[in-house]
């Protein structure tokens, strides 16, 4: 169990709080009806109204439950309060104290705990919190202070015993569900928020763990934090920690106010109100269930009854008066401008995530095994094929070497599919971190390319050395390797584009091979560029495989190959001319390098503008 008294001590010694009530005044939320055009005029027939005229106030120091039957609009309301809605039209007012609720003000004073655990599976609980504290720290000095805070949070959220256990996932078990939930709450506490939103913090937990979680929240609320949670069928032991209720049905308010008769004088409590409209709670039954099932029944128009009741009018008056009071308050002092820039965030990402990934056999092998296997198969199949010189460099030999070099350029691009899961599977964490304003997208993209680019150096060195020596290739090894490394890097960037565009792994796994087969067709080996229809030839200019292959061909043959191919006009050509491998090694490498940056920019733009999550 959580040590309640010491936990209270810990929470009470946090920073001086700004009292930050969350005020919700006449909030409506409409989304376009999926079957119609996306016009967004509120309440037009083309829209669906998911929240209708919701007004309530969540006071600082209170612990509020948003409840209601399934589909009542609880998560929708919480998403609006926490500025997480990505579509639809919101009208009305939401304030954090005296400030309008925006993504910016949310970041300054609030935190959100997701219903589903969006944690990095490879980090331990302690590393997760250190990582987060560095991510959220505004200065390096801040980071040190926050580390101290992490140690305290671990202790007081009863996470010390599992601090060295990896978070894990469905396939590789780590911490328990209750510990994961507490770790999620711990993440939110790292920033010491004045307002804490939680989506179903007890779902999936046993009753003991549920009580532990709500007890933590209660201790937090006791220090002045505004705690707002959607909650589904809480046990009586867990529910008693809440003091305020916001009850919804079909997106409309059916009650808001204190839950128990003892709180706030009890005059307008949920128990008294529902008794006054004919629904008396049997004290032996579960109060939360009673309230939810009562509202779910069709015996009464609950929204109308509440709006016209003395209790409903008093709640509305209270909301309006707190709103007016907050509006008159001077604006809060602005937080110091963030000093930890994008590069410091890259460092933190590399420090915690890359080092862990490099220690993971799965991570390394998914990138190395394919390349090394291909290298073994290829150098045993094309053993010493490049050794031929002079007359021995006949037509068959030149064609075989050209084919080998072609495959060396096309395979990294196909093999880049192994790089897609890290984008697709980490998406939920990425969205949470971006929503919490942890880092700019630039930092994430840079970290990803550095992580993959550095690992690709030893992997390609091993595989390409084996190939170069085994196949007795000629020309400079450095150029041979740089070509391969750059083509692989282009492949990784392309894989990131596919992973960003595709909604899931299946789609990504379809998209990348389609593009690569097109590269295979158009890069000039299967059909020579000179033989392509003029309408298609231009396309080969956009393909990095073509330039990588050309550079390696020029590097190997170096115009030493005998002219063994006869043109229609009777002219004799070597293989470079035969395939029209134009340019120099340098110009081809520059083209590959340019295409690498092109695909990085496309990946960045896709990640910025495509979000596979609509709320
Ligand atoms: N994007 C959307 N498009 C259409 N309908 C939506 C959308 N999002 C939510 N809804 C509808 O809005 C209503 C409220 O959904 P919400 O998820 O907020 O309910 P809830 O009270 O949290 O439900 P539950 O307890 O079952 O999680 C539901 O009827 C839901 O079907």
């Amino acid at each position: 169990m959580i040590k309640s008294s010491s936990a209270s001590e810990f929470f009470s010694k946090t920073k001086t709080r700004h009292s930050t009530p969350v005020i919700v005044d006449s909030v409506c939320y409409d989304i376009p009806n999926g079957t119609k055009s996306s016009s967004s005029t509120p309440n037009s027939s083309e829209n669906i109204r998911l929240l209708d005229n919701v007004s309530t106030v969540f006071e600082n120091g209170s612990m509020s439950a948003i409840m209601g039957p399934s589909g009542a609009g609880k998560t929708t309301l919480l998403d609006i309060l926490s500025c997480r809605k990505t579509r639809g039209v919101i009208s009305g007012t939401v304030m954090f104290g005296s400030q309008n609720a925006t993504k910016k003000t949310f970041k300054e004073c609030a935190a959100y705990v997701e219903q589903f655990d969006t944690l990095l599976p490879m980090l331990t609980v302690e590393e997760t919190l250190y990582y987060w504290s560095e991510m959220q720290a505004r200065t390096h000095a801040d980071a040190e202070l926050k580390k101290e805070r992490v140690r305290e949070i671990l202790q007081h959220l009863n996470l010390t015993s599992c601090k060295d256990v990896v978070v894990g996932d469905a396939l590789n078990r780590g911490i328990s569900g209750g510990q994961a939930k507490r770790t999620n709450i711990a993440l939110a506490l790292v920033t010491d928020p004045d307002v804490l939103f939680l989506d179903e913090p007890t779902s999936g937990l046993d009753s003991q763990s549920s009580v532990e979680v709500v007890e933590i929240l209660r201790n937090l609320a006791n220090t002045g934090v505004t705690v707002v949670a959607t909650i589904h069928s809480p046990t009586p032991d867990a529910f008693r920690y809440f003091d305020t209720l916001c009850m919804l049905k079909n997106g409309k308010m059916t009650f808001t106010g204190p839950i128990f008769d003892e709180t706030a004088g009890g005059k307008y409590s949920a128990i008294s109100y529902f008794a006054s409209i004919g629904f008396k709670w049997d004290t032996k039954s579960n109060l939360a269930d009673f309230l939810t099932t009562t509202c779910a029944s069709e015996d009464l128009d609950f929204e109308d009854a509440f709006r016209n009741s003395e209790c409903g009018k008093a709640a509305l008056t209270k909301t309006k008066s707190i709103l007016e009071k907050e509006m008159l308050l001077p604006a809060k002092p602005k937080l110091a401008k963030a000093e930890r820039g994008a590069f410091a965030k890259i460092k933190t990402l590399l420090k915690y995530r890359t080092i862990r990934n490099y220690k993971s056999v799965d991570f390394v092998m998914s990138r190395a095994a394919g390349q090394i296997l291909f290298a073994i198969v290829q150098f045993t199949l094309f053993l010493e094929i490049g050794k031929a010189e002079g007359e021995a460099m006949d037509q068959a030999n030149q064609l075989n070497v050209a084919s080998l070099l072609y495959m060396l350029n096309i395979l990294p691009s196909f093999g880049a599919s192994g790089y897609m899961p890290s984008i697709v599977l980490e998406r939920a964490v990425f969205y949470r971190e971006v929503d919490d304003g942890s880092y700019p997208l630039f930092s994430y993209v840079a970290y990803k390319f550095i992580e993959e680019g550095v690992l690709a150096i030893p992997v390609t060195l091993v595989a390409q050395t084996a190939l170069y020596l085994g196949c007795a290739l000629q020309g400079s090894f450095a150029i041979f390797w740089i070509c391969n490394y750059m083509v692989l890097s282009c492949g990784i960037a392309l894989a990131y584009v596919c992973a960003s565009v595709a909604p899931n792994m299946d789609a990504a796994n379809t998209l990348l091979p389609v593009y690569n087969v097109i590269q295979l067709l158009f890069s000039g080996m299967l059909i020579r560029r000179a033989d392509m229809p003029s309408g298609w030839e231009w396309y080969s200019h956009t393909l990095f495989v073509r330039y990588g292959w050309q550079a390696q061909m020029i590097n190997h043959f170096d115009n030493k190959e005998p002219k063994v191919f006869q043109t229609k006009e009777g002219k004799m050509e070597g293989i470079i001319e035969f395939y029209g491998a134009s340019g120099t090694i340098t110009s081809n490498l520059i083209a590959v390098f340019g295409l690498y940056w092109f695909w990085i920019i496309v990946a960045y733009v896709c990640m910025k503008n495509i979000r596979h999550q609509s709320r």
Side-chain angles (χ1 to χ4, degrees):
M1 277 292 286
I2 303 299
K3 287 165 259 152
S4 185
S5 57
S6 65
S8 301
E9 274 167 35
F10 160 69
F11 290 125
S12 63
K13 73 176 182 179
T14 53
K15 70 175 184 187
T16 316
R17 294 221 170 276
H18 293 294
S19 81
T20 312
V22 177
I23 307 155
V24 185
D25 185 28
S26 314
V27 165
C28 298
Y29 175 61
D30 300 88
I31 57 162
N33 188 336
T35 56
K36 301 276 176 68
S37 77
S38 61
S39 149
S40 52
T41 319
N43 215 13
S44 79
S45 58
E46 292 184 0
N47 289 320
I48 308 171
R49 176 148 285 189
L50 299 185
L51 285 183
D52 193 4
N53 206 17
V54 174
S55 296
T56 185
V57 60
F58 302 105
E59 289 179 88
N60 47 298
S62 72
M63 188 158 148
S64 308
I66 301 177
M67 286 177 40
S70 185
K74 305 180 286 292
T75 306
T76 304
L77 177 59
L78 198 74
D79 279 348
I80 289 170
L81 300 184
S82 52
C83 311
R84 271 170 154 72
K85 276 285 172 218
T86 55
R87 62 192 203 121
V89 179
I90 301 167
S91 59
T93 308
V94 180
M95 308 275 288
F96 299 143
S98 56
Q99 307 187 89
N100 273 320
T102 59
K103 276 193 183 298
K104 185 166 173 285
T105 52
F106 174 88
K107 200 187 162 199
E108 284 171 5
C109 71
Y112 181 90
V113 179
E114 305 255 357
Q115 178 183 358
F116 300 105
D117 304 329
T118 43
L119 301 168
L120 289 164
M122 71 284 196
L123 297 184
T124 66
V125 170
E126 188 177 48
E127 285 168 344
T128 302
L129 292 186
Y130 280 149
Y131 163 69
W132 198 241
S133 73
E134 276 190 37
M135 258 322 160
Q136 297 289 327
R138 284 190 299 281
T139 66
H140 291 288
D142 247 7
E144 287 309 310
L145 281 178
K146 291 204 170 186
K147 278 191 175 180
E148 179 58 33
R149 184 168 169 78
V150 163
R151 281 191 281 275
E152 290 175 349
I153 292 174
L154 281 172
Q155 193 181 344
H156 293 287
L157 267 67
N158 205 20
L159 289 166
T160 312
S161 62
C162 64
K163 75 182 173 63
D164 296 320
V165 181
V166 288
V167 168
D169 52 30
L171 298 178
N172 300 301
R173 288 291 304 162
I175 54 175
S176 71
Q179 288 164 339
K181 193 66 78 182
R182 276 183 276 137
T183 306
N184 266 316
I185 295 172
L187 286 186
L189 298 190
V190 162
T191 55
D192 202 4
D194 294 323
V195 181
L196 184 61
F197 296 110
L198 305 101
D199 193 12
E200 306 211 4
T202 58
S203 73
L205 299 184
D206 59 42
S207 54
Q208 166 87 6
S209 304
S210 300
V211 171
E212 285 183 10
V213 166
V214 289
E215 197 173 3
I216 290 167
L217 300 178
R218 180 73 260 171
N219 285 326
L220 206 57
N222 289 346
T223 68
V225 175
T226 310
V227 177
V228 182
T230 61
I231 193 143
H232 216 282
S233 306
T235 62
D237 281 346
F239 194 52
R240 72 188 164 86
Y241 286 96
F242 287 86
D243 46 27
T244 313
L245 175 67
C246 170
M247 197 79 178
L248 296 173
K249 180 180 181 182
N250 296 333
K252 295 174 181 169
M253 295 272 312
T254 56
F255 176 78
T256 183
I259 300 171
F260 300 98
D261 287 339
E262 313 85 66
T263 38
K267 191 175 168 203
Y268 297 125
S269 77
I271 295 172
S272 305
Y273 167 70
F274 280 98
S276 75
I277 57 169
F279 299 90
K280 193 163 169 22
W281 173 48
D282 173 0
T283 51
K284 290 195 204 78
S285 67
N286 179 328
L287 175 59
D289 285 349
F290 161 77
L291 293 169
T292 310
T293 45
T294 299
C295 277
S297 76
E298 298 301 330
D299 299 345
L300 192 70
D301 182 341
F302 285 95
E303 190 253 343
D304 189 58
F306 183 65
R307 189 163 19 93
N308 293 315
S309 69
E310 195 191 336
C311 185
K313 286 173 187 158
L316 193 59
T317 307
K318 183 178 170 185
T319 303
K320 299 275 184 205
S321 78
I322 294 181
L323 181 62
E324 273 168 30
K325 197 177 105 204
E326 289 289 338
M327 295 279 222
L328 294 175
L329 290 178
K332 280 181 197 158
K334 292 258 179 300
L335 286 177
K337 198 173 177 318
E339 284 172 34
R340 286 192 90 232
F343 288 100
K345 299 289 170 85
I346 297 173
K347 210 173 129 197
T348 304
L349 285 160
L350 293 171
K351 177 174 157 191
Y352 285 92
R353 293 168 68 163
T354 301
I355 290 178
R356 266 285 157 174
N357 282 336
Y358 283 180
K359 288 181 184 165
S360 155
V361 176
D362 287 355
F363 185 89
V364 174
M365 287 317 282
S366 65
R367 285 146 180 83
Q371 293 223 35
I372 290 172
L373 209 65
F374 280 144
I376 294 171
V377 171
Q378 282 173 308
F379 95 70
T380 49
L381 182 65
F382 291 85
L383 198 64
E384 300 201 328
I385 200 152
K387 213 175 177 177
E389 291 198 19
E391 289 301 300
M393 243 185 193
D394 59 9
Q395 208 178 59
N397 176 267
Q398 290 186 29
L399 283 172
N400 285 340
V401 171
S403 304
L404 168 68
L405 296 178
Y406 194 72
M407 287 313 288
L408 291 187
N409 280 279
I410 200 78
L411 284 176
S413 197
F414 274 98
S417 58
Y419 296 83
M420 291 191 299
S422 78
I423 296 288
V424 178
L425 303 179
E426 270 180 15
R427 202 170 264 158
V429 177
F430 169 67
Y431 287 154
R432 175 175 62 73
E433 294 184 339
V434 167
D435 285 345
D436 287 340
S438 311
Y439 43 68
L441 178 61
F442 165 77
S443 303
Y444 182 76
V445 174
Y447 137 72
K448 278 285 178 199
F449 279 99
I450 294 170
E451 178 170 282
E452 301 295 6
V454 170
L455 181 60
I457 293 174
V459 170
T460 50
L461 271 176
V462 170
Q464 299 311 303
T465 305
L467 266 163
Y468 185 80
L469 297 177
C471 301
L473 293 173
Q474 297 176 32
S476 152
F477 173 75
I479 288 170
F480 173 75
W481 172 73
I482 287 171
C483 261
N484 183 269
Y485 179 76
M486 284 313 305
V487 168
L488 174 64
S489 301
C490 286
I492 294 171
L494 178 65
Y496 279 7
V497 172
C498 295
S500 311
V501 169
N504 52 46
M505 264 323 291
D506 289 347
N509 277 327
T510 308
L511 209 55
L512 184 65
V514 166
Y515 187 84
N516 279 329
V517 168
I518 294 171
Q519 284 216 89
L520 184 75
L521 290 172
F522 282 86
S523 289
M525 169 101 208
L526 298 188
I527 173 167
R528 298 185 319 150
R529 285 198 297 118
D531 299 330
M532 285 179 194
S534 54
W536 271 121
E537 199 275 333
W538 64 270
Y539 187 62
S540 70
H541 295 277
T542 67
L543 303 173
F544 55 85
V545 166
R546 171 195 153 182
Y547 296 109
W549 179 51
Q550 288 186 169
Q552 287 196 336
M553 291 267 283
I554 298 168
N555 185 43
H556 178 85
F557 291 106
D558 195 21
N559 280 327
K560 287 185 305 216
E561 77 280 16
K563 297 186 184 311
V564 287
F565 296 94
Q566 188 173 21
T567 63
K568 278 183 266 180
E569 297 79 29
K571 187 183 156 217
M572 297 305 288
E573 294 178 333
I575 193 139
I576 300 275
E577 279 177 287
F578 177 70
Y579 279 123
S582 53
T584 60
I585 290 175
T586 311
S587 68
N588 280 298
L589 278 179
I590 289 173
V592 179
F593 192 67
L595 285 167
Y596 171 61
W597 281 102
F598 169 78
W599 284 114
I600 288 184
I601 291 166
V602 176
Y604 180 91
V605 171
C606 291
M607 284 189 205
K608 188 156 185 70
N609 295 302
I610 302 175
R611 185 163 172 135
H612 300 285
Q613 183 192 51
S614 78
R615 298 181 85 135

